[in-house]
Amino acid sequence: PIDPAGPLSGAVNEVWSVAAAEDGSRWAATGGGIVHWDVATETPTVYTTADGLPTNHALRIAVAPDGSVWTGDSGWVARFDSNWEVLAAPPGVDGPAMAVDSDGSLWGVGGETQLYRFDGSEWEVTEVPDLSGVGEWSPSLAAAQDGTIWAGTNMRKGLLAFDGEGWKNYTDELPNGFALNVAVAPGGAVWVGSESDARGNGPGVARLNEDGWTVFTTADGLSANHALVAVGSDGTVWAAHSADGVGGVSRFDGETWIAYPGVGGSGLGLSVDRNGMLWMPSPQGLVGFDGERTTHLVVPVTPPSTTTSAAPIEGWDPILATTRAKPVPQAATCPAGTDPNRPGSADQPRPEPGYVRNDAATFDPVRGRVVYADALGATWAFDVCTNTWSALDAGGVLAGDAWGGLVYDVDSDRLIALGLAVSVYDPTRNSWAQVTPAGDGVLDYWPVGGSVWDPVSGLVVVQHMGIVKAYDVDADVWTAVGGLHEDVGQMLGYTEELDLSLIHI
């Protein structure tokens, strides 16, 4: 049976976002739970689904002025004040961008044009007007003391500012329209970090204050022009550089930048504590740097007792050749009176398409429908007999992004969503549950490259960073079955005639 809580896994050290609290502690959103670090003693406290969270995977975290903690992911948010409280959220709320203002209201973004605010009891949404094509949100929001909400954008669409009534879009002031992340200093100065181009270069760091805009580059001391910024409550400004082999961090001294090229960590989700120390996410824990010393915080994890050894590169475990599939359920047929060739209503409710969140689908042959996780994280069904959409209003939470797609596991009659987290949909209960698989888990700071169901072994097969892995949903165990020459892309499908899974090169 699926255990929604599961054991503490190594994914707890896959850190996605860090928030520094005014009491000196750190909070981290990870692939395996929310971690609260008492840095003085380097003691972690880990919160998981066993403590009330809907999933162990979270992308963003923020600390409010009153010390409460907010976290979330696609379609859910939770607040911690001695205990976790999971709050109903609109399907479009997108956890990767989160900020709490001075009044304690939570701000988030969703879709391509929605800004959400939660005042503690109700959600309200504001549509971004047409500002020359804002494109997708970046995973960055910042709340200023004067109430202005600042938002970064992807696709080089500039910086957005919302004052509660109207919007302003800064583009001409920023080289190439960069504004991947944004931070606001205590005095009101707005700092903007830049995304990299195809070669890993960026146009630098920009600052907006009473004197207007100033752009800083390597000529001003930055370690690199690809730079993501964070500002502490004491005014300390840091930039992290982590694009395509360009590493290191830089600190602003008020006039120029001091470069520290040897420090590693991720730029997105970084934070600065009350003492001016920089904290960064990484695939192996939390990285702190104070200008002289690097601190590496890792949650001790005991490996599960049920592990499997990975097959060597080019060596293949025979697990996929073992016939273990259970009898396949009877496939659905269209009821009398339905016509699959007749189009459905043109104005029927439909899922939200787009690249923003999940956008993954698979066919459920037992019920004759396509199950679709849309761009806002909602679950839909498409009836192929009547060509109609219906919102399933599924319980539970589909964790994270289903970059690896959805796959229907025929012999267990369940759907598996694969990405940086694993979610299982039970159609008989119309509910999602998160799992923490044992063995060579797929949660490895990078999503899987597609998935197929193998009717010989009865397992879900994926390609993940050049390794082919098989997932047994009933036992909740991954097994590495063989290696490829490189990470070759998406699994396309299974051919019964050749007993092969096809992989896109």
Side-chain angles (χ1 to χ4, degrees):
I2 298 297
D3 178 5
L8 187 64
S9 75
V12 75
N13 287 313
E14 294 170 359
V15 181
W16 292 102
S17 181
V18 186
E22 280 304 301
D23 64 3
S25 63
R26 321 284 181 267
W27 290 83
T30 81
I34 302 300
V35 183
H36 182 211
W37 282 98
D38 182 335
V39 180
T41 61
E42 297 190 354
T43 302
T45 301
V46 181
Y47 299 95
T48 67
T49 52
D51 302 290
L53 292 171
T55 170
N56 289 340
H57 186 277
L59 281 180
R60 282 293 174 265
I61 197 159
V63 179
D66 65 359
S68 61
V69 178
W70 292 86
T71 187
D73 204 339
S74 179
W76 67 273
V77 296
R79 180 178 183 270
F80 181 81
D81 187 2
S82 301
N83 293 290
W84 286 103
E85 178 187 8
V86 180
L87 301 165
V93 175
D94 185 356
M98 179 177 289
V100 184
D101 65 22
S102 57
D103 294 331
S105 295
L106 176 70
W107 294 82
V109 298
E112 296 187 358
T113 59
Q114 291 84 43
L115 178 71
Y116 291 89
R117 175 179 176 267
F118 181 67
D119 63 5
S121 60
E122 294 182 327
W123 289 90
E124 62 181 36
V125 60
T126 301
E127 291 283 342
V128 180
D130 182 11
L131 298 173
S132 301
V134 171
E136 300 167 16
W137 298 103
S138 81
S140 181
L141 282 176
Q145 286 292 324
D146 64 3
T148 303
I149 301 299
W150 296 86
T153 65
N154 282 326
M155 316 304 289
R156 299 180 182 272
K157 297 299 183 179
L159 180 68
L160 293 172
F162 179 64
D163 64 5
E165 296 183 359
W167 292 87
K168 186 171 183 179
N169 186 206
Y170 297 91
T171 53
D172 296 340
E173 301 87 346
L174 301 171
N176 299 325
F178 77 78
L180 184 61
N181 89 314
V182 58
V184 181
V190 179
W191 290 86
V192 185
S194 62
E195 61 186 318
S196 64
D197 60 19
R199 297 184 177 182
N201 300 312
V205 169
R207 180 189 64 194
L208 173 64
N209 60 15
E210 64 275 5
D211 298 323
W213 285 97
T214 303
V215 176
F216 302 91
T217 66
T218 52
D220 303 291
L222 280 174
S223 182
N225 284 333
H226 171 94
L228 301 179
V229 295
V231 182
S233 59
D234 68 344
T236 303
V237 181
W238 286 90
H241 320 282
S242 57
D244 298 339
V246 178
V249 299
S250 305
R251 184 171 60 185
F252 188 63
D253 67 3
E255 297 291 336
T256 60
W257 294 83
I258 303 171
Y260 303 91
V263 181
S266 171
L268 283 176
L270 74 168
S271 180
V272 180
D273 68 20
R274 64 183 183 183
N275 298 317
M277 186 171 183
L278 174 66
W279 292 92
M280 296 177 287
S282 87
Q284 293 87 35
L286 198 57
V287 177
F289 183 67
D290 62 4
E292 297 182 357
R293 184 172 61 93
T294 298
T295 301
H296 193 191
L297 302 179
V298 178
V299 178
V301 177
T302 302
S305 58
T306 55
T307 59
T308 56
S309 59
I313 298 297
E314 306 303 337
W316 289 81
D317 190 304
I319 185 173
L320 295 182
T322 302
T323 301
R324 67 178 73 193
K326 292 175 283 189
V328 176
Q330 181 69 38
T333 58
C334 286
T338 60
D339 182 3
N341 296 317
R342 182 184 302 154
S345 172
D347 59 356
Q348 63 180 300
R350 299 172 184 271
E352 179 72 24
Y355 172 75
V356 183
R357 298 299 293 161
N358 296 289
D359 201 22
T362 191
F363 182 64
D364 176 349
V366 174
R367 295 159 189 84
R369 66 185 187 181
V370 174
V371 178
Y372 180 65
D374 74 5
L376 301 182
T379 308
W380 291 75
F382 181 77
D383 188 324
V384 299
C385 297
T386 61
N387 291 311
T388 55
W389 286 103
S390 59
L392 292 179
D393 296 323
V397 173
L398 196 168
D401 293 319
W403 286 302
L406 295 182
V407 60
Y408 178 71
D409 186 79
V410 179
D411 59 3
S412 70
D413 189 28
R414 282 179 283 186
L415 282 72
I416 319 300
L418 296 147
L420 290 166
V422 180
S423 302
V424 177
Y425 175 74
D426 185 340
T428 63
R429 298 181 178 180
N430 188 29
S431 183
W432 289 97
Q434 276 64 62
V435 296
T436 308
D440 301 291
V442 73
L443 302 179
D444 196 27
Y445 217 70
W446 195 253
V448 302
S451 52
V452 295
W453 185 72
D454 174 13
V456 174
S457 65
L459 302 174
V460 175
V461 182
V462 306
Q463 185 278 125
H464 179 237
M465 300 181 70
I467 302 295
V468 176
K469 299 181 178 182
Y471 178 58
D472 186 333
V473 64
D474 295 307
D476 194 19
V477 172
W478 284 99
T479 302
V481 297
L484 304 169
H485 290 290
E486 57 183 333
D487 186 352
V488 294
Q490 297 286 327
M491 299 284 259
L492 297 182
Y494 175 84
T495 168
E496 185 175 1
E497 292 78 8
L498 300 177
D499 189 19
L500 294 173
S501 292
L502 305 180
I503 303 176
H504 172 64
I505 304 300

